[in-house]
Amino acid sequence: MGSLALTSMHGTANAADAIKIGEINSYTSLPAFTVPYKQGWELAVEEINAAGGVLGRPLEVISRDDAGKPGDAVRIVEELLSRDKVDLIAGTFFSHIGLAVADVAKRQKVFFMAAEPLSDAMVWSKGNRYTFRLRPSTHMQASMLAEEAAKLPAKTWATIAPNYKYGQDAVAAFQRLLKERRPDVKFVAAQWPALFKIDAGAEAEALAAANPDAIYNVTFGGDLSKFVREGSLRGLFKDRTVVSLLTGEPEYLEPLKDETPDGWIVTGYPWYAINTPEHKAFVNAYDEKFGESPKVGSLVGYNTFMSIAAIIEKAGSTDTEAMVDAAEGIEVSTPIGPITFRKSDHQSTMGAFVGRTAVQNGNGVMVDWRYANGADHLPGPDEVKHLRAGN
C-alpha cells in the first residue's frame, strides 16, 4: 500500500496550515484488522475537518504501510519526520513494531499515539514521555478474562499463544492474574506456534495430550481459524472450557461463521447489541460512509484520531511538549463512553467487552456480554512507578 493523504479544507484554512499526522500500520500483513482501522480514522478525520478542523486547521494524514517489519517501520517514521515534516506519529498494530516506533519517539522527542500494540512494555518497562497508548493492553484484557476464569471449577490449564512479544505478555499476565485469584490452579502445558505459521493439528493434539480442564487461547487471525477447525475435529474443546483473548472481535468471528465454537469466554466487540445514542451514531455514520458494519479496528482507528484532535485542542498547538502535557490526564469522549489517558503511564482507560461466543443465524456472535472499564483493570500509581522505574 502506498501513501495516503487525507486533507479537507474548511473556512480560511489552507494546505500550509494543515496539521500533519504521520500514520503507519501493517496494512498488507493483517488487512482484516488494519483496513477497518484505516476506515475508522478516515471517518474521524472527515468529521473533524467538516467541523472546522483543530484550532482552525485541517488534519492531513500521511499514511504508510510498515509491511509488518520493525525495520521498515523505523525507516518510515524517520522519513515522515525528516521529509514530510509531520507534527506527530500515530498507529501500529504488532507489538514489536509499536515498541520500535516508541523507541524512535523517545529518541526524536516526537509525540506518538500508539493505536493498537498491546504489549505491556509499551507503557511500562519500555514506556517513555512521548508515547501514549489507546487500546486496552494485554494486562488489562487478561485481567478481565482472569476475573471470569477464576469463577470456573477448572484447576488445570494449558495455554496457546503466538511466540512473540504480544503472545508472551498475554500468557504471563493471565497466569499471574489467575493465580492471584485462584492459588490452587496449575498450568500444565504451553504451546508457542510461530505467528501465522501454526501447525494447528499438532498444536491441538499436544494440548489434548496434557488433558487440561481449561485452555487459554491467544491465537488470532488465520491462526485462530485453523486452531478452531483442527481442535473441533479432534474433540479438543468437548467438555472443556476455553478462555480466548480477542476472539469475540468481528474481525475474527465473522470468518468463522457457523464454525464459531459455543460458549468460549472472550473479549470482543458486540457492535450489533450496543444501543447507546453515541454508539448508534458511530455505527450509522460508518455504515453510511463504507456500506458495512464496524469492526474493533474501526473503533480503534476512530478513537485514536478523536483522541489526537482533543489533545491538540487542549494543548493549543502542535508543540510536542505541549501535546504531551495536554495528553496526561485528558478525558476524551468516544462512541463507547469517556476514556482517560492516565498521567502515570500514558495508558488510556478504554475498556473491552467480555462475553461468550455463540452462533446465531449461521454467524458467530458474542452473547451475555458486559463492558469492562479499563480503569478497573490497571495498577495504581505506586505500582506503575515500580513498573516504569527503569525508564
Side-chain angles (χ1 to χ4, degrees), residues 13-63:
N14 55 56
D17 298 321
I19 295 170
K20 291 187 177 182
I21 300 172
E23 190 279 330
I24 66 170
N25 223 308
S26 302
Y27 289 109
T28 52
S29 297
L30 197 66
F33 188 97
T34 55
V35 170
Y37 154 84
K38 174 176 170 288
Q39 293 178 172
W41 65 250
E42 286 178 342
L43 176 61
V45 170
E46 181 178 276
E47 291 181 358
I48 292 163
N49 285 345
V54 183
L55 305 177
R57 301 164 61 190
L59 300 185
E60 176 185 345
V61 183
I62 302 171
S63 182

Side-chain angles (χ1 to χ4, degrees), residues 32-353:
F33 188 97
T34 55
V35 170
Y37 154 84
K38 174 176 170 288
Q39 293 178 172
W41 65 250
E42 286 178 342
L43 176 61
V45 170
E46 181 178 276
E47 291 181 358
I48 292 163
N49 285 345
V54 183
L55 305 177
R57 301 164 61 190
L59 300 185
E60 176 185 345
V61 183
I62 302 171
S63 182
R64 299 284 190 269
D65 181 6
D66 60 41
K69 300 175 182 178
D72 286 5
V74 169
R75 174 182 54 78
I76 290 166
V77 170
E78 299 282 4
E79 289 176 356
L80 287 167
L81 293 170
S82 62
R83 185 183 65 194
D84 297 299
K85 307 297 183 184
V86 299
D87 296 296
L88 67 149
I89 299 293
T92 74
F93 177 90
F94 293 112
S95 291
H96 56 313
I97 293 175
L99 288 166
V101 174
D103 186 61
V104 177
K106 180 180 179 180
R107 287 190 285 106
Q108 297 275 30
K109 296 185 178 181
V110 60
F111 188 96
F112 172 37
M113 177 61 74
E116 165 64 23
L118 301 183
S119 171
D120 296 324
M122 287 292 302
V123 294
W124 292 344
S125 64
K126 300 291 184 181
N128 64 70
R129 171 170 170 78
Y130 301 97
T131 297
F132 291 75
R133 178 177 48 207
L134 175 82
R135 191 124 193 247
S137 66
T138 52
H139 172 94
M140 296 164 73
Q141 296 195 56
S143 175
M144 297 167 191
L145 291 174
E147 186 175 62
E148 298 302 316
K151 302 172 186 176
L152 302 170
K155 290 188 176 182
T156 58
W157 286 78
T159 66
I160 180 169
N163 192 18
Y164 79 113
K165 187 62 176 171
Y166 157 67
Q168 295 157 6
D169 281 2
V171 168
F174 181 79
Q175 289 177 327
R176 183 181 70 256
L177 293 164
L178 181 56
K179 280 181 170 289
E180 287 176 2
R181 293 174 170 88
R182 285 279 303 278
D184 60 319
V185 304
K186 294 181 180 180
F187 287 85
V188 297
Q191 295 299 119
W192 297 100
L195 179 64
F196 301 149
K197 295 180 180 178
I198 191 171
D199 184 346
E203 303 289 356
E205 289 177 2
L207 291 173
N211 195 29
D213 297 329
I215 296 169
Y216 177 59
N217 168 63
V218 189
T219 63
F220 61 94
D223 285 352
L224 172 66
S225 296
K226 293 173 184 176
F227 178 60
V228 168
R229 189 167 297 117
E230 295 298 329
S232 298
L233 286 171
R234 289 163 171 76
L236 176 63
F237 312 128
K238 182 175 174 58
D239 300 322
R240 183 173 282 132
T241 301
V242 178
V243 174
S244 195
L245 197 64
L246 309 183
T247 301
E249 297 179 358
E251 286 90 331
Y252 311 129
L253 274 186
E254 288 181 4
L256 288 170
K257 298 182 180 178
D258 59 2
E259 290 185 299
T260 298
D262 184 60
W264 283 20
I265 299 171
V266 297
T267 54
Y269 176 42
W271 65 267
Y272 34 82
I274 304 168
N275 294 318
T276 64
E278 297 83 0
H279 188 262
K280 284 183 176 179
F282 167 69
V283 172
N284 291 339
Y286 190 88
D287 178 70
E288 182 177 347
K289 183 171 177 61
F290 301 108
E292 61 185 47
S293 58
K295 311 291 189 293
V296 168
S298 316
L299 185 65
V300 169
Y302 186 86
N303 287 353
T304 296
F305 278 72
M306 285 299 184
S307 296
I308 289 170
I311 289 164
I312 296 171
E313 188 74 40
K314 181 181 175 184
S317 76
T318 55
D319 174 77
T320 296
E321 302 301 331
M323 288 191 291
V324 171
D325 290 341
E328 292 186 332
I330 193 172
E331 182 175 291
V332 180
S333 297
T334 80
I336 57 173
I339 63 172
T340 299
F341 284 87
R342 305 197 320 168
K343 183 175 182 178
S344 61
D345 56 10
H346 297 181
Q347 172 64 49
S348 98
T349 59
M350 179 176 168
F353 298 86

Side-chain angles (χ1 to χ4, degrees), residues 359-372:
V359 176
Q360 293 180 354
N361 302 317
N363 297 307
V365 296
M366 279 182 71
V367 297
D368 302 328
W369 56 268
R370 63 181 176 85
Y371 181 70

